[in-house]
């Protein structure tokens, strides 16, 4: 999982070819802590995606721009265009995330 150090770094992924999963999370988020231990196996199950962890509080303006208000949330981008999003205020399970990504693979 890539943890970007700047907004410019995040923007650079939008300019690259490939599929990127922008995983919005926050330290204080209980649902984020629930799913975090499953993220490595989700990454392994979907090697065609590059996973980028975005701290929602650090990049709040980006989260607002992308209409990401509930976390954890995932926005999938391919070649700079949004393919899909799993954005809600509900707790997400490993199975739901796997199914979501499988639909975009």
């Amino acid at each position: 999982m890539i943890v970007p150090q700047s907004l410019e770094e995040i923007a650079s992924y939008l300019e690259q070819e490939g599929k990127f999963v922008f995983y919005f999370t926050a330290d204080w988020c209980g649902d984020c802590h629930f799913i975090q231990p499953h993220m490595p196996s989700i990454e392994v199950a979907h090697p065609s995606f590059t996973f980028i962890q975005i701290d929602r509080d650090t990049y709040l303006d980006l989260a607002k721009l992308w209409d990401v208000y509930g976390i954890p949330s995932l926005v999938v981008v391919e070649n700079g265009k949004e393919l899909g999003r799993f954005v809600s205020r509900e707790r997400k399970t490993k199975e739901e995330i796997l199914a979501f990504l499988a639909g975009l693979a």
Side-chain angles (χ1 to χ4, degrees):
M1 177 100 45
I2 297 169
V3 179
Q5 301 301 310
S6 69
L7 193 55
E8 292 77 19
E9 183 181 353
I10 295 169
S12 74
Y13 297 112
L14 296 173
E15 298 170 358
Q16 295 179 30
E17 290 188 20
K19 292 181 183 177
F20 296 90
V21 177
F22 293 90
Y23 166 57
F24 286 84
T25 186
D27 289 340
W28 53 264
C29 171
D31 290 344
C32 300
H33 288 283
F34 171 80
I35 199 61
Q36 188 64 36
H38 301 288
M39 291 307 293
S41 63
I42 291 170
E43 285 185 84
V44 168
H46 292 282
S48 64
F49 293 95
T50 300
F51 288 76
I52 302 165
Q53 184 172 324
I54 307 289
D55 183 292
R56 197 227 35 188
D57 293 341
T58 301
Y59 300 102
L60 189 56
D61 289 340
L62 177 64
K64 288 179 183 177
L65 181 66
W66 286 10
D67 292 323
V68 175
Y69 293 100
I71 52 173
S73 290
L74 297 100
V75 177
V76 180
V77 175
E78 181 177 28
N79 301 330
K81 296 184 182 180
E82 185 175 320
L83 277 184
R85 57 177 47 221
F86 192 3
V87 176
S88 70
R89 292 191 169 129
E90 304 298 318
R91 175 175 277 182
K92 291 151 191 73
T93 66
K94 177 181 178 180
E95 292 75 22
E96 289 172 328
I97 293 173
L98 287 170
F100 164 71
L101 293 174
L104 299 175

